[in-house]
Amino acid sequence: MSPTNTKSNYTSVEYSAGSSIFSPPTDSSPSTHQQSSQLEAPQQTVGEAVVKVLENLGVRHAFGISGGGIGPLWATLDRSSIEVVHFRHESGAAFAACEAHFASGRPVVVFTTTGPGITNVITGLFAARGDGAKVILLSAATPSGNRGRWACQETSAHTMPISGIFTSGPLFNYATTVESGDEIPEISRRLALGLAQPGGFVAHISIPTPLQMTPLKAQFSQPEFSYSVPTAGEEAIAECVRLFSEESFAIWVGFGARHAAQEILELAEKTGAAVMTSPRGKGIFPENHPQYIGVTGFSGHESVLKYMQEKRPQRILVLGTRLGEPTSFWNPLMVPASGFVHVDIDPEVPGVAYPSVPTFSIHSEVKLFLTNLLKQLPKRLNWSPTSTLPHPESNAIAPHTHGLVRPDALMNAIQQFIVEQSDALVMAEAGNSFAWATNLLRFTQPGRYRISTGVGAMGHAVTGVVGAALARNSKVVAIVGDGAMLMNNEISTAVRFQVPAVWIILNDGRYNMCAQGMSLQGFKGVDTTIPTADFAMYAKAMGADGVRVETELDLELALKKAMSSTVPFVVDVTIDSSRPAPIGGRIRSLIKQGAILESKGE
């Protein structure tokens, strides 16, 4: 390895989207900032010091729910340069923070009060950790003298599990409960270091209520530190040049490679390699490119499996994906003849998904790796002409004049009137919404499509759309189901803060992925129905606007109205629930794991 050492200080620098102050997973050139400044406040409180640290780290938004325990810190945030957005539920605030980070590149704060505020936010923070976002949770804690005495919403070891919630571990990269203002310099250092590293960073700073207003004893300076961005050494690059020059290979692109889109395109066109993407990687490589063979895994394309069966490459270059179940289903058909060359910023990722398959593991930031590889790789055109590659099927269908709206017809309209006629970010909710959108929509630019496959929580997109639209200050569209919309949405928040969010609801009166999936697994008669809701009326009742779509002929007008609306907008589409969603791969994976009736297959 040949790490690049960079001296960094994040005290008083302006942050802009796309800047390398907080290096994204594949950003290759962290900036150098060496000017140190003091936090100047003679009677600065602990809460004020924490907020100042956050401002200096580039935070511009804080999402959350107020409460007595967090009151002093909440008031301090409200007086700062950070925009405070009061949500309706803590989990919605966390999902929104996750998406605001990906939309802006900045770290985002979530704040909660004691007790249920903390437990409510956890699912959204698991999603942030799994997706690689940079999110900081600020919470309140019960004062030490009141712990164990049945305090209101007591937050202590007497009432909550401390390990994992208030300590570093699978959920938080860094977590601490502040017991003294003397800890602020170390907390500042740990936050700055974590945010500067490539990849995600989720932190939890819990501050007892009275300590939030306690004066600091002394001023302190933001620390300077050095960090390394890993990149492959010369020997590893030379070995890759040899392998890719001598053997056919394909490229498998994941979300972690999203900042290396140009290098991936250059590599593919220089070598003639076929390119496939994970569901989260859609759009990183243009989906209309002749070398693109499709999405893998959950709601992926049959064209990928056809390619692997008919034109199996010797190797696959894996860039920025864990190859987990949503991406690969651990399908043996996806194994190349000679194994994987797996590049990832996390050295623990390569080799885990397919432990028995030969894997040349490369611990490197993806963009740096590709830049160095392209310098050394000669052009060659000795295999797999691109004209013979299989491609995903087209989704162009004529609208019906009667009957319920087919979900594939809805996706066709979204493609035509939103994807192709705007620059809006499109995100999809867990469930059939995700399946239809991932399988049928086509993107030609990175950063236009967002889904969460790690945790896969319902409620992520219906609330995340608010955070993304607020951070972008432009239209963001969420394709969601009626179940998710009823579970947890933030229309009211969008109305309050005039956020240009659009919800397109697949309203089929049921948890349809559950209904269709259970049927395919042999479990009959399971009740997944939901009483029909009129979400357009629901939106209007909260101050937004909306329209109910009952025929395919109404889709064009409804989508155009949504995109031109100056207020949050809901498109409530009555969906034909009988159309089978493209979830066969997921069901086959569940069956392989034993989720099937014993009598199935008679």
Side-chain angles (χ1 to χ4, degrees), residues 86-100:
H86 210 193
F87 274 67
R88 307 298 172 258
H89 196 275
E90 290 89 353
S91 66
F95 289 130
C98 177
E99 295 308 317

Side-chain angles (χ1 to χ4, degrees), residues 1 232-233 235-254 257 264 267 273-274 276 308 313-323 334-347 349-354 356-366 369-370 373 377 380:
M1 298 299 173
E235 292 183 4
I237 294 293
E239 178 64 8
C240 288
V241 169
R242 184 187 71 80
L243 293 175
F244 298 152
S245 298
E246 296 175 358
E247 301 176 336
S248 64
F249 76 100
I251 304 171
W252 200 341
V253 179
I264 294 169
L267 176 63
M276 49 193 152
M308 291 302 295
Q314 288 298 115
R315 296 187 186 273
I316 294 180
L317 172 61
V318 182
L319 302 172
T321 170
R322 302 182 186 98
L323 298 183
M334 296 304 297
V335 175
S338 299
F340 298 108
V341 176
H342 197 152
V343 183
D344 204 277
I345 196 72
D346 185 346
V349 166
V352 174
Y354 288 92
S356 62
V357 177
T359 300
F360 181 28
S361 302
I362 298 178
H363 179 209
S364 177
E365 184 271 335
V366 175
F369 167 79
L370 291 175
L373 177 67
L377 192 67
R380 61 179 178 78

Side-chain angles (χ1 to χ4, degrees), residues 100-175:
H101 163 73
F102 288 121
S104 68
R106 298 179 184 274
V108 182
V109 161
V110 178
F111 60 91
T112 73
T113 192
T114 49
I118 296 172
T119 57
N120 284 346
V121 81
I122 286 176
T123 301
L125 294 174
F126 269 118
R129 177 73 184 262
D131 281 8
K134 286 179 163 62
V135 176
I136 300 169
L137 171 64
L138 296 182
S139 74
T142 301
S144 58
N146 295 339
R147 296 170 191 171
R149 300 174 60 199
W150 305 289
C152 182
Q153 297 180 331
E154 181 168 340
T155 300
S156 73
H158 296 274
T159 58
M160 300 178 72
I162 298 300
S163 179
I165 298 179
F166 298 92
T167 61
S168 305
L171 175 54
F172 294 110
N173 299 94
Y174 169 63

Side-chain angles (χ1 to χ4, degrees), residues 220-240:
F220 64 93
S221 297
Q222 198 84 340
E224 293 185 1
F225 57 88
S226 63
Y227 63 93
S228 299
V229 176
T231 186
E234 293 181 3
E235 292 183 4
I237 294 293
E239 178 64 8
C240 288

Side-chain angles (χ1 to χ4, degrees), residues 53-66:
V53 166
L54 297 172
E55 288 177 316
N56 291 335
L57 291 172
V59 173
R60 294 296 177 266
H61 290 98
F63 304 154
I65 305 288
S66 59

Side-chain angles (χ1 to χ4, degrees), residues 6-16 19-23 29-37 56 196 222-227:
T6 306
K7 195 78 161 181
S8 300
N9 180 339
Y10 299 92
T11 299
S12 57
V13 291
E14 275 300 312
Y15 185 89
S16 60
S19 161
S20 56
I21 292 174
F22 300 104
S23 303
S29 56
S31 299
T32 299
H33 302 279
Q34 296 182 330
Q35 181 181 356
S36 178
S37 67
N56 291 335
Q222 198 84 340
E224 293 185 1
F225 57 88
S226 63
Y227 63 93

Side-chain angles (χ1 to χ4, degrees), residues 257-406:
R258 63 193 181 279
H259 297 286
Q262 184 57 46
E263 289 76 14
I264 294 169
L265 180 62
E266 184 179 345
L267 176 63
E269 293 183 340
K270 188 174 185 178
T271 63
V275 181
M276 49 193 152
T277 64
S278 70
R280 287 206 299 157
K282 275 179 68 70
I284 295 175
F285 190 83
E287 294 188 84
N288 61 353
H289 196 282
Q291 289 169 245
Y292 182 69
I293 60 174
V295 173
T296 66
F298 204 125
S299 65
H301 298 122
E302 292 297 324
S303 51
V304 174
L305 298 179
K306 181 179 180 181
Y307 167 80
M308 291 302 295
Q309 290 172 316
E310 298 178 359
K311 301 178 180 296
R312 185 185 183 198
Q314 288 298 115
R315 296 187 186 273
I316 294 180
L317 172 61
V318 182
L319 302 172
T321 170
R322 302 182 186 98
L323 298 183
E325 184 179 9
T327 295
S328 70
F329 291 127
W330 309 304
N331 189 338
L333 282 177
M334 296 304 297
V335 175
S338 299
F340 298 108
V341 176
H342 197 152
V343 183
D344 204 277
I345 196 72
D346 185 346
E348 297 184 5
V349 166
V352 174
Y354 288 92
S356 62
V357 177
T359 300
F360 181 28
S361 302
I362 298 178
H363 179 209
S364 177
E365 184 271 335
V366 175
K367 188 180 181 76
L368 275 176
F369 167 79
L370 291 175
T371 298
N372 292 331
L373 177 67
L374 286 165
K375 291 177 181 177
Q376 304 299 325
L377 192 67
K379 184 175 182 179
R380 61 179 178 78
L381 297 171
N382 60 355
W383 60 274
S384 296
T386 58
S387 60
T388 64
L389 291 174
H391 304 291
E393 295 182 4
S394 173
N395 181 40
I397 59 175
H400 283 176
T401 59
H402 61 279
L404 296 172
V405 178
R406 296 166 294 170

Side-chain angles (χ1 to χ4, degrees), residues 447-468:
R448 288 287 312 275
Y449 186 61
R450 265 292 298 155
I451 52 174
S452 177
T453 57
V455 173
M458 289 177 63
H460 189 132
V462 295
T463 56
V465 63
V466 176

